[in-house]
Amino acid sequence: MQTTSHLLMIRPIAFGFNPETAVNNAFQKKDNDWNVNEKAQQEFDGLVALLKQHQIDVCVIQDQPQPYTPDSVFPNNWISMHDDGQIVLYPMFAPNRRAERSKGVTDQLKEQFIIYSKVDLTGYEKEQLFLEGTGSMVLDRVHQKAYACLSPRTDERVLLDFCEVLDFTPVLFHAADKNGTPVYHTNVMMSVAEDYALIAPDSITDPAERDRVLQSLASTGKTVIPITLSQMEHFAGNALQVRNAGGQRFLVMSSAAFGSLTALQRQQLETYNPILHTPLSTIEQNGGGSARCMIAEVFLPLQQPHHPR
C-alpha cells in the first residue's frame, strides 16, 4: 500500500530554530519570537485535531525535555516503518537530531504495532554520510522505487545500501531552488500519492535527470501535477496522502502550501482526494519543514487485541 491510516507524530517540547540544520536548509529562517515553542505546539495540536476529525489514527508521543531536540517534531527523518514489520533507523546530519532516536519512541510504538526487525544505518554517521529517512527519499512503496535528490543530507552510498536491503530501485537526481542552492530534502520538491505525483520539475537542474524522473513516474501510471519553484518554497511539495479508517484518502499540507496552489491545481488534486490544511507558519519558518515532515507513516502490522476468555 502507498498510503496508511496510522501516523506517528511527536509533540514538541523545545522547538526552535536549529543552527545545526540551518547550514544547509535554505527553508529555515530565524524567528526571534520568545514563545516560538508554544506557537509550534498550537500548530502541532491543530494538525493532529484536523487529522483525528477525519478518522485518521494518530499516535502522538510527547517529546521529553532531555536530551535537547529542537527538531523532534520531524520524526520522518530518523525512522521509517514498513508493512513487513521492519523499521529503519537513519544517519542524521545534525548531531543534536541524532538524540531523537534515543527517546523510547519505538518502545511506545510496540504497544500498538508489531516490530519484527530493525535495519540500522546510523553507523554511517561516523563517516559523515547521511540519509534522512522519508525526507531524503520519497518512496513509491507499491512499485518499490526510492526517489532521491542528492544533497549534504542524502548520500548516494547510504541510499544504495537502503535500496539493496529493502529491495527498492533508486531514482537519483540533483535539485536546486531558484538561487541554485541544493534542495536539502527530496520531500520538499515532490510527493508521491497512489494515483498522482506532485513535483517541482524545474528544481531538477539536469534535463536528462528531469526526463528520467518524469518518465519513471509516468511508467507507474501516475499523473504528474507540476508545481513551480515559488510554490515549492511555500511547501506545496511537502504534502502527504493518507487514508482514514474507512479507506478514504486525503492530501495533508499546510495552509501556506494550499494558499500557493492555483484554482486549477486544487481542482486537479481534489479529483483524487480532499485536501486537509492548517496553518504551520512557525514550524515552517523556524524548522524549515512542513506537514509531511511532521508525519512518520506507520505501515507496521497491528498488535492483536487480547480478549479475556
Side-chain angles (χ1 to χ4, degrees):
M1 294 269 278
Q2 181 62 20
T3 54
T4 176
S5 61
H6 301 289
L7 311 177
L8 164 70
M9 294 178 66
I10 309 288
R11 191 172 189 271
I13 201 164
F15 177 81
F17 180 85
N18 184 354
E20 290 188 12
T21 55
V23 293
N24 53 27
N25 179 346
F27 289 77
Q28 270 179 267
K29 290 163 189 68
K30 191 165 172 52
D31 176 354
N32 292 318
D33 213 329
W34 61 272
N35 61 345
V36 73
N37 181 63
E38 199 179 311
K39 285 182 170 177
Q41 286 178 333
Q42 286 168 359
E43 292 174 0
F44 177 93
D45 294 342
L47 179 54
V48 170
L50 180 67
L51 293 166
K52 288 186 168 176
Q53 203 179 312
H54 289 85
Q55 285 73 56
I56 299 157
D57 173 50
V58 188
C59 169
V60 176
I61 294 178
Q62 175 65 57
D63 189 20
Q64 304 302 314
Q66 294 300 325
Y68 170 65
T69 47
D71 279 322
S72 61
V73 75
F74 303 133
N76 83 309
N77 298 140
W78 66 264
I79 187 170
S80 67
M81 295 163 266
H82 302 266
D83 56 13
D84 59 359
Q86 273 195 113
I87 62 168
V88 184
L89 301 180
Y90 294 94
M92 308 279 281
F93 170 80
N96 67 10
R97 291 214 61 189
R98 299 169 194 172
E100 293 172 34
R101 298 187 301 248
S102 65
K103 292 197 165 186
V105 171
T106 51
D107 292 337
Q108 292 187 61
L109 282 168
K110 284 178 187 167
E111 292 169 20
Q112 193 183 348
F113 303 97
I114 298 169
I115 298 175
Y116 287 116
S117 62
K118 176 172 78 177
V119 175
D120 189 345
L121 300 173
T122 61
Y124 280 107
E125 287 167 353
K126 293 189 190 74
E127 299 175 64
Q128 296 296 300
L129 302 177
F130 311 108
L131 183 71
E132 298 192 329
T134 53
S136 286
M137 304 176 290
V138 172
L139 300 179
D140 178 340
R141 290 173 183 259
V142 175
H143 303 97
Q144 298 281 106
K145 290 187 180 194
Y147 292 90
C149 63
L150 298 174
S151 78
R153 311 268 194 103
T154 305
D155 181 83
E156 183 172 356
R157 201 174 119 203
V158 193
L159 178 86
L160 295 177
D161 193 358
F162 166 88
C163 288
E164 195 178 329
V165 174
L166 277 91
D167 196 25
F168 274 75
T169 302
V171 184
L172 291 173
F173 55 96
H174 297 81
D177 65 16
K178 66 174 193 285
N179 302 317
T181 307
V183 173
Y184 79 108
H185 274 164
T186 313
N187 76 359
V188 295
M189 55 72 64
M190 72 183 290
S191 174
V192 172
E194 286 181 12
D195 303 314
Y196 64 89
L198 203 53
I199 184 169
D202 294 346
S203 69
I204 304 177
T205 41
D206 179 316
E209 289 184 345
R210 187 186 313 139
D211 289 346
R212 200 169 69 238
V213 171
L214 295 174
Q215 279 168 5
S216 174
L217 292 166
S219 73
T220 55
K222 298 202 190 294
T223 300
V224 171
I225 301 175
I227 58 171
T228 64
L229 292 179
S230 168
Q231 290 173 327
M232 176 180 87
E233 282 176 21
H234 288 88
F235 294 101
N238 197 240
L240 180 68
Q241 190 183 52
V242 301
R243 284 177 178 268
N244 70 4
Q248 188 185 358
R249 298 177 297 185
F250 299 91
L251 184 66
V252 184
M253 59 171 52
S254 72
S255 294
F258 182 77
S260 76
L261 297 175
T262 65
L264 188 63
Q265 286 167 322
R266 289 178 194 176
Q267 206 180 330
Q268 210 178 350
L269 288 166
E270 283 167 349
T271 60
Y272 296 103
N273 44 231
I275 301 171
L276 304 181
H277 66 91
T278 182
L280 298 170
S281 54
T282 305
I283 290 172
E284 288 174 332
Q285 183 177 337
N286 292 275
S290 188
R292 196 280 166 261
C293 300
M294 295 167 66
I295 297 168
E297 303 148 280
V298 187
F299 286 90
L300 298 167
L302 280 160
Q303 292 277 9
Q304 295 306 312
H306 296 293
H307 297 295
R309 288 169 187 249

